[in-house]
Amino acid sequence: MTHHFYETCAYFTAARYMRTVEGLATQTFQPTGMKPAYSYIMLALEDRHPQTVTDLATTLGYDRSSIYRMVQRLEQRGLVHLYPVGKSATVDLLPDSAAFLETANQCLSAWGQLTDAKLGPDKAAMTRLLTTNNAKLRS
């Protein structure tokens, strides 16, 4: 019996793809000194700040507890301030975040160029399909 999950299983193919993407993204975002997820938190805060941990988790698709742990690490590095507001925690950028954000934006641009070059015209359609299918699975 031969299994066909190598090409037909959504779990297996998505996980294999993500391992490849994670490796390339980690290399690309290496100048920040942190994993890519930290840059995306900072970039989301650059777009709109302050934000609650819940808002960041919703925007980025992470569990609240994961965002909270990552934000604590960013706070330890002096990049953000985490403070309670009622029953939630709010995150805001600190002045020392400017240099990190400059590097993160450069890495994001390099990531876009790398994926454009490797994926070509399939990138936009694939990204739309992943976004759509993610929404279907989450509902």
Side-chain angles (χ1 to χ4, degrees), residues 40-53:
Y40 285 101
I41 290 170
M42 294 295 291
L43 294 165
L45 286 167
E46 184 179 43
D47 288 342
R48 184 174 59 86
H49 65 96
Q51 287 191 56
T52 66
V53 168

Side-chain angles (χ1 to χ4, degrees), residues 48 50-60 64:
R48 184 174 59 86
Q51 287 191 56
T52 66
V53 168
T54 301
D55 289 342
L56 285 167
T58 300
T59 299
L60 298 173
R64 277 181 9 141

Side-chain angles (χ1 to χ4, degrees), residues 50-111:
Q51 287 191 56
T52 66
V53 168
T54 301
D55 289 342
L56 285 167
T58 300
T59 299
L60 298 173
Y62 285 94
D63 291 330
R64 277 181 9 141
S65 60
S66 296
I67 290 290
Y68 191 80
R69 279 192 304 277
M70 288 187 276
V71 165
Q72 285 179 313
R73 184 151 180 232
L74 290 166
E75 186 176 45
Q76 290 169 352
R77 290 195 58 178
L79 301 173
V80 300
H81 178 59
L82 178 65
Y83 55 95
V85 175
K87 291 186 176 186
S88 66
T90 298
V91 186
D92 204 356
L93 295 171
L94 290 174
D96 286 349
S97 66
F100 182 93
L101 283 165
E102 183 177 340
T103 302
N105 276 293
Q106 291 168 353
C107 292
L108 182 63
S109 178
W111 176 248

